[in-house]
Amino acid sequence: MTDTQHRWYPLAGAKSVPRGATKAIIKGTKKPTPIDPLTGPKIALAGRVVTMDDAFTVKTDAVVFIDQGVIVAVQDRARPAPAGFEAVAVVETGGTLFPGLIELHNHLSYNALPLWSPVPKRFRHRGQWPDHPDYRKLISGPMTVVGKYRDAHGKAALLAPLVRYVECKCLLGGVTTSQGIMLSSNAGVQRYYRGIVRNVERTDDPALPEAKGRIPDVDAKDARSFLTRLEKEDSCYLLHLSEGITAVGQADSIARKHFLALQVTPNQWALNDRFAAIHAAGLLPGDFDVLARHGGSMVWSPLSNLLLYGDTARVDAAKRAGVRIGLGSDWSPSGSKNLLGELKVAWLYSQHVLGGLFSAREVMAMATREPARILKWHDVLGTLEAGKRADVVVMTGRDGDPYEAFIRAKETAISLVMINGVARYGTSELMKGLAPRGETVRVGGKARRCYLQQETADPDVAQVSLRTARSALQKAFRNLPRLAREIEKPKPRTAARPPLDAPEPVVWSLALDEIQATGVDQRPRLPFNGPRDFTGPKRISSRAAAVPLSRLLMPIALDPLTVADDPDFLTEIAGQPNLPEAIRTGLAQLY
């Protein structure tokens, strides 16, 4: 991502920018403070503590001491409190403390959409399903309306509600870090929202180097140029790679070509220890050996792969090769509602399809310590240890194997989610002492509280409660055809052109690179057999887009925040023809 695309920080409330002044504004912009500043009081949380450290230490009765967003100590309850904590009251969680869940792959903009049910056929690669008639009607069309709709005042009225809703969806599943929502403007500049959930692509924090999830075309014009860019990074590149399937004996599938295009010379690949392959479903066993030899890692999204392709990455080969694996739920149209759900799918697939390949502890590591290492954040996050940031998830209960208990837990068992020492979500009892102000939300019929105030938040989002966000999106989804008609109306012609130095209103839209070109892509199309043979998917064809959305769309339901509040999700999973039997019938038993 270029400097101008990544370092301009006007917030959503920005009104206008003089024509031609974009570069000057960028150069003069003061670098902001970290999105999650290290502030907050001294806190002591007691319970069983699963540290996820190198020894996988579990303390059966311990206290985590936190000061200004950082863990000061994790020690047995019987030991004296650290200096300065003598008068701090211990908060009894009554549960088991884990590191916050780190998600390395999610298209958050789309997470208000319901599950594509049923997926109409088994696809072979990523280039196929966007051309299915259902895709524009159920996925790209609704999101185009959400991203482009303007109210009577010209404001992007649905963007802030969308951000608030999908980040709360993450919180309610125990997620403290995910990928972000990108906006693009008519000024040719792109930026990320500053939100409650930490964004791997935007931290403004030198201790948390920012990952790159989108690549400018010029930096991915061939494998050699991509390698040059990759060698400059200090965090990681999260690259969508080989989305699709490659049958045994099929060496040149469309999905696998995207990987093969990374070969610079017979002995050189555009791969290194900053490279993280999202999906990697089309890789053959030997490809994982290549990935491991260069220090690369991967992000596994089993439910989405299985729903769309009837198969997923060869994680058994990845494990044998020593490839580091993180997890991502992808998006709600063909994935889990949250990372807790993806943990369940990964566990079921391992147990019943791969013969118990991964232990429950290994699966939990894929959502905590392993993604922290992939991001080069392992000195700061991923475990509960002194000196680390206080990202904490508390599950009710303290008995049995803690890792399997977490995977088997219902969403209603999450009693606290803390980011940088700030309690963001939890039971009313715990939140009362940790964040007395907040908003009530019901999860599976049980009262919970969200604390969404944040000094560094985008001003537009800061004004939106979860209740307001849900109401706005529900109304919009009920009225999609009407909103589409408003977008399609011809704009009135102005009487005269404004002066060249007149302010030009900044208009922000969702940067939906799944749908339209944005200048930076999550799936760069690398040349393979020649200048006209490019890997990667094409966007929706102009022929398919010919029908106006106002005639194509119909009202749809807003996807509920949790499985606990969705009466249809598990039934729809059971009816998905591409899923293995163990997941179609077994997932409901884990909820």
Side-chain angles (χ1 to χ4, degrees):
M1 189 172 296
T2 66
D3 189 62
T4 55
Q5 290 167 330
H6 191 59
R7 291 292 180 192
W8 190 37
Y9 297 112
L11 299 180
K15 300 300 182 184
S16 63
V17 56
R19 296 174 187 271
T22 301
K23 291 183 179 179
I25 290 176
I26 294 168
K27 291 180 180 178
T29 299
K30 182 180 179 181
K31 185 171 176 62
T33 57
I35 292 176
D36 297 298
L38 294 173
T39 59
K42 290 181 169 65
I43 300 170
L45 300 177
R48 181 169 63 167
V49 180
V50 180
T51 66
M52 299 300 295
D53 64 7
D54 290 342
F56 289 96
T57 304
V58 177
K59 295 180 177 291
T60 57
D61 188 16
V63 181
V64 177
F65 295 93
I66 300 165
D67 186 20
Q68 294 189 344
V70 175
I71 298 172
V72 174
V74 180
Q75 60 188 48
D76 293 334
R77 184 193 294 264
R79 292 181 56 189
F85 285 86
E86 295 85 354
V88 176
V90 174
V91 177
E92 300 290 347
T93 68
T96 302
L97 286 67
F98 295 83
L101 302 186
I102 301 173
E103 177 162 51
L104 291 187
H105 176 43
N106 200 323
H107 302 275
L108 288 180
S109 298
Y110 295 80
N111 271 9
L113 297 176
L115 187 70
W116 190 359
S117 182
V119 174
K121 59 177 288 187
R122 182 175 294 192
F123 301 100
R124 296 191 307 277
H125 56 80
R126 169 59 177 77
Q128 291 181 325
W129 45 266
D131 276 337
H132 192 278
D134 284 355
Y135 181 76
R136 188 165 181 251
K137 182 188 301 183
L138 301 177
I139 300 173
S140 66
M143 290 314 304
T144 298
V145 171
V146 170
K148 292 185 176 181
Y149 177 72
R150 302 287 181 271
D151 63 15
H153 304 287
K155 182 179 179 181
L158 296 176
L159 295 188
L162 178 69
V163 173
R164 178 64 82 209
Y165 191 79
V166 299
E167 72 175 358
C168 286
K169 205 176 183 189
C170 289
L171 278 175
L172 271 56
V175 174
T176 57
T177 299
S178 187
Q179 289 187 287
I181 293 179
M182 179 177 270
L183 304 181
S184 60
S185 78
N186 57 334
V189 181
Q190 297 182 330
R191 70 174 181 86
Y192 289 98
Y193 264 113
R194 297 167 71 97
I196 298 295
V197 173
R198 186 181 287 105
N199 174 9
V200 302
E201 296 151 310
R202 170 80 185 279
T203 66
D204 299 334
D205 189 334
L208 299 171
E210 293 163 339
K212 306 300 185 293
R214 294 166 175 81
I215 301 174
D217 295 336
V218 68
D219 290 333
K221 63 182 179 181
D222 56 44
R224 189 177 298 279
S225 65
F226 178 59
L227 177 60
T228 299
R229 178 60 184 267
L230 196 62
E231 289 173 338
K232 297 177 182 178
E233 295 305 320
D234 56 0
S235 179
C236 78
Y237 252 120
L238 296 163
L239 179 74
H240 285 65
L241 185 74
S242 296
E243 296 173 73
I245 53 176
T246 302
V248 175
Q250 181 189 10
D252 60 349
S253 71
I254 290 177
R256 185 168 179 256
K257 278 185 178 182
H258 202 184
F259 173 75
L260 297 176
L262 294 173
Q263 188 171 26
V264 180
T265 68
N267 297 314
Q268 186 181 33
W269 289 74
L271 300 168
N272 63 13
D273 65 345
R274 274 89 75 196
F275 182 92
I278 296 174
H279 295 302
L283 270 60
L284 294 175
D287 300 331
F288 288 105
D289 293 330
V290 173
L291 186 62
R293 190 162 60 247
H294 290 82
S297 54
M298 66 169 289
V299 185
W300 187 27
S301 296
L303 183 57
S304 185
N305 296 162
L306 293 167
L307 282 169
L308 294 171
Y309 311 118
D311 205 350
T312 187
R314 293 173 166 86
V315 287
D316 51 348
K319 182 178 181 179
R320 285 195 302 269
V323 173
R324 196 179 301 279
I325 303 173
L327 277 179
S329 53
D330 200 351
W331 61 350
S332 61
S334 67
S336 302
K337 288 190 191 295
N338 50 52
L339 198 54
L340 175 59
E342 201 69 11
L343 284 166
K344 297 178 187 296
V345 175
W347 170 249
L348 285 172
Y349 191 80
S350 172
Q351 290 295 104
H352 299 285
V353 180
L354 300 177
L357 176 69
F358 297 109
S359 67
R361 189 175 78 178
E362 288 175 308
V363 174
M364 279 299 302
M366 294 178 189
T368 52
R369 57 178 290 117
E370 295 304 295
R373 288 191 171 275
I374 291 171
L375 292 168
K376 314 302 181 191
W377 290 5
H378 50 282
D379 290 333
V380 181
L381 281 172
T383 63
L384 297 182
E385 298 180 89
K388 300 289 183 77
R389 302 288 175 88
D391 281 19
V392 182
V393 176
V394 181
M395 283 287 189
T396 58
R398 300 172 58 168
D399 299 325
D401 177 80
Y403 310 105
E404 188 168 340
F406 191 107
I407 293 170
R408 292 183 176 277
K410 298 179 180 180
E411 292 150 330
T412 51
I414 297 175
S415 58
L416 181 66
V417 179
M418 180 177 284
I419 302 176
N420 256 32
V422 178
R424 290 297 181 187
Y425 167 76
T427 62
S428 300
E429 293 78 13
L430 287 175
M431 294 295 287
K432 182 179 180 181
L434 296 171
R437 293 173 295 171
E439 176 184 354
T440 299
V441 59
R442 301 195 72 82
V443 178
K446 299 180 182 296
R448 296 288 185 267
R449 292 190 70 79
C450 292
Y451 177 65
L452 304 175
Q453 296 183 30
Q454 185 182 29
E455 291 183 4
T456 58
D458 273 84
D460 285 359
V461 181
Q463 300 171 25
V464 180
S465 67
L466 175 55
R467 180 182 292 116
T468 299
R470 177 158 38 194
S471 176
L473 291 174
Q474 286 175 333
K475 182 179 179 181
F477 281 9
R478 285 195 302 267
N479 293 284
L480 282 173
R482 178 178 63 80
L483 299 185
R485 282 195 297 274
E486 292 185 25
I487 294 171
E488 292 164 0
K489 285 181 182 177
K491 292 180 173 54
R493 303 179 71 176
T494 56
R497 294 185 63 183
L500 291 177
D501 59 349
E504 179 183 4
V506 174
V507 180
W508 293 101
S509 300
L510 287 174
L512 298 170
D513 47 11
E514 292 283 323
I515 300 172
Q516 60 199 31
T518 61
V520 288
D521 203 342
Q522 295 175 316
R523 301 171 176 84
R525 304 183 68 223
L526 299 170
F528 185 58
N529 281 327
R532 295 185 179 181
D533 181 19
F534 285 90
T535 65
K538 297 179 180 179
R539 291 188 177 85
I540 190 167
S541 66
S542 58
R543 177 181 55 82
V547 178
L549 288 176
S550 59
R551 290 168 45 194
L552 181 69
L553 298 183
M554 62 185 70
I556 62 173
L558 175 66
D559 196 47
L561 289 166
T562 65
V563 174
D565 296 294
D566 189 338
D568 302 319
F569 180 79
L570 294 173
T571 301
E572 291 173 344
I573 287 292
Q576 292 284 356
N578 295 341
L579 291 179
E581 177 71 14
I583 293 174
R584 286 198 299 109
T585 61
L587 190 57
Q589 299 174 20
L590 297 184
Y591 280 101

